[in-house]
Amino acid sequence: PQGPTGPAGPQGAPGTGLVFQGNYLLTVENPQTAAFTTYLPLSAIYWVFFNSQGVEYPMVQIMPVACNADALYLAEMPQNGAPVVTVQVTLRQNYQDTTLQCNVSSSTPASCPVGNSIPINAGGLLDYAVTFPSALIQNSQYQLLLSLHCQ
């Protein structure tokens, strides 16, 4: 026969967390006269074309495990002589903006930690809302590097 179960052991040390990385090349096919937002998947190598309407559709990914998002890192690298612009990136969960938001206007990676981590549920749908300013020139390209840390 089996004896009684003993007391639970001590809590283990926290792990290093998860990192989701994306590398995106955004091409402006026609001049943009108003600010616009596109939606990018959480982790991908992805190429986006902006048409004259600036319309893009959400590209969500399913979160395989629960975690707490605590930092977003990003860098913008204009290509082919495109000017540096301020790009705003917001993590979205289930098609809703979270408080994890970051602005970048440099190829030097920016770190955007949050005061309180954002709980992400297993099965949650995640993507990024990426907002560009107006007055982007035709055929300009922007490479965005994004990394999300989740503990």
Side-chain angles (χ1 to χ4, degrees), residues 13-54:
T16 57
L18 304 167
V19 175
F20 299 91
Q21 295 180 313
N23 185 343
Y24 312 90
L25 183 63
L26 300 105
T27 300
V28 179
E29 291 183 311
N30 296 306
Q32 300 294 313
T33 58
F36 61 96
T37 299
T38 190
Y39 302 93
L40 299 176
L42 190 63
S43 227
I45 297 176
Y46 195 66
W47 196 338
V48 177
F49 290 93
F50 295 115
N51 58 29
S52 59
Q53 290 79 35

Side-chain angles (χ1 to χ4, degrees), residues 23-29 36-40 46-50 56 75-80 82 87 130-132 136-137 139-146:
N23 185 343
Y24 312 90
L25 183 63
L26 300 105
T27 300
V28 179
E29 291 183 311
F36 61 96
T37 299
T38 190
Y39 302 93
L40 299 176
Y46 195 66
W47 196 338
V48 177
F49 290 93
F50 295 115
E56 294 292 329
E76 165 200 350
M77 293 183 284
Q79 306 289 311
N80 302 326
V87 178
V130 179
T131 301
F132 280 83
L136 293 181
I137 58 174
N139 297 322
S140 58
Q141 290 184 323
Y142 294 88
Q143 183 178 14
L144 291 180
L145 305 175
L146 299 170

Side-chain angles (χ1 to χ4, degrees), residues 11-17 151:
Q11 176 70 32
T16 57
Q151 186 68 39

Side-chain angles (χ1 to χ4, degrees), residues 65-133:
V65 296
C67 65
N68 292 306
D70 59 3
L72 176 63
Y73 301 87
L74 68 126
E76 165 200 350
M77 293 183 284
Q79 306 289 311
N80 302 326
V84 173
V85 296
T86 298
V87 178
Q88 181 182 54
V89 176
T90 303
L91 177 67
R92 298 187 335 143
Q93 181 172 209
N94 300 323
Y95 304 102
Q96 300 295 315
D97 289 354
T98 68
T99 57
L100 185 47
Q101 188 177 84
C102 199
N103 293 316
V104 67
S105 57
S106 170
S107 60
T108 301
S111 168
C112 300
V114 293
N116 296 315
S117 60
I118 298 165
I120 305 294
N121 299 321
L125 303 175
L126 299 181
D127 67 353
Y128 296 113
V130 179
T131 301
F132 280 83

